[in-house]
Amino acid sequence: SESLNRLLRGIPHGIVLESLDGELSVLTPASLPVRMPAEGWHSVDKTLVFNHREDNERLQSMSVRQYLYPVHISGLFLFTQTLASALNLLLLRFLNMQYSEVFKLA
């Protein structure tokens, strides 16, 4: 659906899960992306890259390796269950230049 696609913008590594009751959730790894440098100072590259080789060491020391974001029944927003998951989602939105979504989370 269009509302689910809008929610998933900026979370290219998220997996949509559906329960037997039809409830949707988005599962994302706790690894953080980096933005590749643009070719010039005048352009901004929106491509995010996940470096799993270097992130593997950091992930091993973390107590949480993934975040689960339940989708509201209206399909308009994601629930954040912990402060860490909210900050992770906020960072993903910020890196994807979704500033109105960042403002809503802050």
Side-chain angles (χ1 to χ4, degrees):
S1 74
E2 181 59 35
S3 61
L4 185 59
N5 285 337
R6 186 185 58 76
L7 284 177
L8 293 176
R9 280 187 210 128
I11 311 175
H13 60 297
I15 298 172
V16 178
L17 305 173
E18 184 175 5
S19 71
L20 293 175
D21 297 329
E23 297 172 349
L24 298 177
S25 296
V26 179
L27 182 70
T28 65
S31 60
L32 297 175
V34 294
R35 186 179 306 284
M36 294 302 291
E39 295 198 13
W41 289 101
H42 303 288
S43 63
V44 176
D45 189 2
K46 290 179 97 173
T47 306
L48 297 178
V49 177
F50 293 85
N51 188 350
H52 296 293
R53 288 184 185 161
E54 291 178 11
D55 241 9
N56 195 26
E57 290 178 20
R58 186 180 64 82
L59 282 173
Q60 287 178 354
S61 65
M62 295 177 68
S63 60
V64 175
R65 292 181 177 227
Q66 64 273 337
Y67 296 109
L68 185 67
Y69 300 102
V71 177
H72 187 264
I73 194 166
S74 68
L76 297 176
F77 61 92
L78 299 173
F79 286 110
T80 55
Q81 299 174 331
T82 63
L83 176 62
S85 67
L87 291 174
N88 185 280
L89 184 60
L90 185 118
L91 179 63
L92 289 173
R93 298 291 192 215
F94 185 78
L95 289 173
N96 280 283
M97 296 181 243
Q98 297 173 331
Y99 302 122
S100 62
E101 296 296 322
V102 171
F103 181 76
K104 290 176 189 176
L105 283 168

